[in-house]
Amino acid sequence: MAKKQFKAESKRLLELMINSIYTNKEIFLRELVSNASDALDKRYYLSLTQPEHRVEKEDLKIRIERHPEERTLVIEDTGIGMTDKEMETNLGTIARSGSAEFREKLEKGEDNIDIIGQFGVGFYSAFMVAQKITVESRSAESDTAFRWTSTGQDGYTIEPSEKETAGTRITLWLKEDTEDEKYSEYLEEQKIRDLVKKYSDYVRYPIVMEVSKSIPDPSDKDNDIITVEDETLNSMIPLWKKNKNEISSEDYNEFYKSKFNDWQDPQKVIHYSVEGNLSYTALLFIPAKTPYDFYQADYKSGLQLYSKGVFILDKAKDLIPEAFRFVTGLIDSDDLNLNISREILQQDRQVKALASSVEKRIQRALEDMLKNEREEYEKFFENFGLNIKYDIYRSFGANAEKYRDLLLYRSSKDNEFVSLKEYKERMPEDQKYIWFASGSAIDEIEKMPALEKVRDKGYEILYFTDAVDEFVVSMMTEYDGVQFRSVSKGDLDLDTEEEKKEREEKAEQNKDMLSLMKEALDDKVREVRISSRLKDDPVVLVSDEGMSIEMEKVLSQNPENRGMMKAVKILEINPNHPVFSTLQKVFEQDQDKLKEYAGVLYDQACLIEGLPIDDPVEYARRIADLMIQATK
Ligand code: ADP
């Protein structure tokens, strides 16, 4: 029979498992039971929705067999089973959702033990304790069974086999005991009992094992009669149906990790029940880390949906609003129809009501966290805040009112996170706007010439470093009656009447010079004007109302938009900078030279803004000329 090879990264993972010195090998049982439970869920759902595949609920179970003589442990389920093709794809590669991240860690050669602790879950973990594994399976939708066999790294075989009923039977040939590892303990009744209680108690199908019972012998009081009988090892009460005060945080964490394919404890658990028109229980989790593919288009969000404890759907998107799509977990409702499908879910009124109730709960949990566990909230926001911003933008501001108080920004005040509410509360009385400055990084923003005047006034400035920030603000326009204002857009509206008058006079006096400069720059700028925002720098490029320069940069990253989206730019000159008087002199002596200087200053302003300059060679040549002239 031809041996097939595992996919490359699966091979590496297997190698790790086989040679593992990981101390927590016992988790293999949790993984196999969890797979069996998933398979039973699928079978039951099929039975409910397609009458020809009907099964009785009593027939859905997991059986564990111990065979000490053969040193084998068997985990069998009456679940959905697998065809030969499914065996090939499911058992030949790592199916885990964290596999890309896992691969990365493998490549970096991170500590193996860590990798197993974090990722070494799933079917392959059985190779930590077994030297050979067979998987005999018959799909519920097929009459033929197959057997998958592997001793690990050197590949696997798949061959036809016999199996009376649908489901999967996994046999582990345990490794030989060593000084440090007693694999034979997995053949002990008590050990299996303990492991099932510890990791799989909440599994909603019976996990049955043959156990020996001793009862006193009535005819011989010194001896007991030993009988063998089947016993269900788990309580089968789903974790979410248990009383909250009976659940430890460890229980939640284990449950989360085994069910939602994460290797870290969740950051936050939200567990509650609602009684009323639509009764339901929710057990929701906020991951402690952003999933590596969270912002990729094919990331699948959504909650598991159960009806009266029966699993219906995975990744049901309609149960959770986009803004909170980082939440995973499940909803169990007694009032939902079992036959609900993904399509119905979208239109169903009950589901809509449910989703809106879930949304409110999550929102409240986040608000509470912001209020009472600031540090935790900031961690959360670093992970998922961007998603909330996107949602406000994508809803064209419709969701702004709802979510704006969840937003945090770094600001000029100690570089700490600040909420809009806090910002507003600590605004000096004479401050009229919520100020912001945009750039790709904080230290870049802090150096922006346009910032100076606002900062000097003692006004706090929000630092916008996410590409979406300005777009969000353009949708919100104001917070609680206070408008947002960019330090590098339009008129700052900071001057006193006197300063304004002075500036207008200066503009009038230098009108001809400014318009000659504008003429030299042609349509690169709409205007060259006297600046009211500069202190130490000679020039700055700002934008008029409408699109900002930062937005132009963001939009032009999309090749489709390149060159189409342009901010209306204005070159501002600092009238108090020595360069200004130089310009005045040059204007009187040599107008061609003034035009040339206008070009240099414009290029400089572009560089400060992080915009490309049209002709770097020409710019360099002019700077060199200026140096030579300076010493003439
Ligand atoms: P995961 O459970 O995270 O998907 P695993 O490596 O544990 O990863 O399992 C890979 C796949 O093999 C599962 O997704 C499932 O499709 C299939 N599988 C594993 N065990 C069983 C089983 N007992 N019955 C049916 N299919 C199974």
Side-chain angles (χ1 to χ4, degrees), residues 47 148 166 178 183 186 191 220 222 252 371 379 400 407 440 458 570 579 612:
S47 152
W148 181 96
T178 65
Y183 297 100
Y186 300 121
K191 183 70 184 177
D220 175 1
D222 292 330
Y252 281 129
K371 214 161 120 203
K379 238 188 272 165
L407 300 179
S440 52
I570 295 164
V579 159

Side-chain angles (χ1 to χ4, degrees), residues 13 31-40 42 75-82 86-87 89-98 121-125 135-138 167-170 258 261:
L13 176 55
E31 296 301 320
L32 296 185
V33 167
S34 155
N35 281 348
S37 168
D38 290 347
L40 288 163
K42 287 180 197 153
I75 292 96
E76 181 168 17
D77 65 68
T78 50
I80 192 82
M82 281 178 275
E86 284 165 339
M87 280 181 165
T89 41
N90 296 339
L91 307 180
T93 39
I94 317 177
R96 287 261 148 189
S97 51
V121 279
F123 171 73
Y124 287 174
S125 63
V135 179
E136 292 161 283
S137 194
R138 194 178 121 186
T168 303
R169 181 180 167 91
I170 299 179
S258 68
N261 277 348

Side-chain angles (χ1 to χ4, degrees), residues 349-470:
R349 274 192 32 228
Q350 273 185 315
V351 172
K352 287 218 167 92
L354 205 156
S356 118
S357 156
V358 171
E359 173 181 19
K360 286 198 190 90
R361 287 287 183 144
I362 298 173
Q363 184 163 349
R364 202 188 311 156
L366 291 175
E367 283 163 1
D368 286 349
M369 186 158 49
L370 175 59
K371 214 161 120 203
N372 306 317
E373 302 165 275
R374 178 66 173 217
E375 223 170 286
E376 283 297 305
Y377 187 82
E378 290 187 359
K379 238 188 272 165
F380 154 76
F381 195 80
E382 302 233 42
N383 284 336
F384 299 113
L386 189 57
N387 189 62
I388 300 179
K389 291 180 187 172
Y390 274 130
D391 186 71
I392 294 179
Y393 174 59
R394 269 190 304 242
S395 71
F396 297 105
N399 293 341
E401 182 103 6
K402 259 195 302 197
Y403 302 141
R404 62 188 187 181
D405 282 321
L406 294 175
L407 300 179
L408 292 182
Y409 296 98
R410 300 258 176 216
S411 86
S412 55
K413 194 166 182 300
D414 308 327
N415 222 329
E416 299 273 337
F417 269 129
V418 59
S419 72
L420 293 172
K421 194 156 172 253
E422 291 159 347
Y423 181 100
K424 194 186 165 205
E425 275 165 11
R426 64 192 189 206
M427 259 167 52
E429 227 167 88
D430 66 340
Q431 185 179 338
K432 284 194 267 182
Y433 305 105
I434 297 175
W435 291 100
F436 65 87
S438 321
S440 52
I442 286 179
D443 49 353
E444 189 184 287
I445 296 178
E446 282 180 328
K447 283 186 231 148
M448 278 170 61
L451 216 87
E452 292 176 338
K453 205 57 178 280
V454 182
R455 195 163 43 194
D456 275 8
K457 280 264 175 192
Y459 300 157
E460 182 173 4
I461 302 163
L462 300 179
Y463 292 162
F464 283 4
T465 47
D466 284 327
V468 75
D469 282 334
E470 273 201 55

Side-chain angles (χ1 to χ4, degrees), residues 231-246:
E231 188 184 306
T232 298
L233 305 180
N234 54 330
S235 77
M236 289 196 283
I237 302 174
L239 186 72
W240 61 92
K241 290 274 188 191
K242 284 193 184 165
N243 219 325
K244 260 175 98 164
N245 50 26
E246 285 166 27

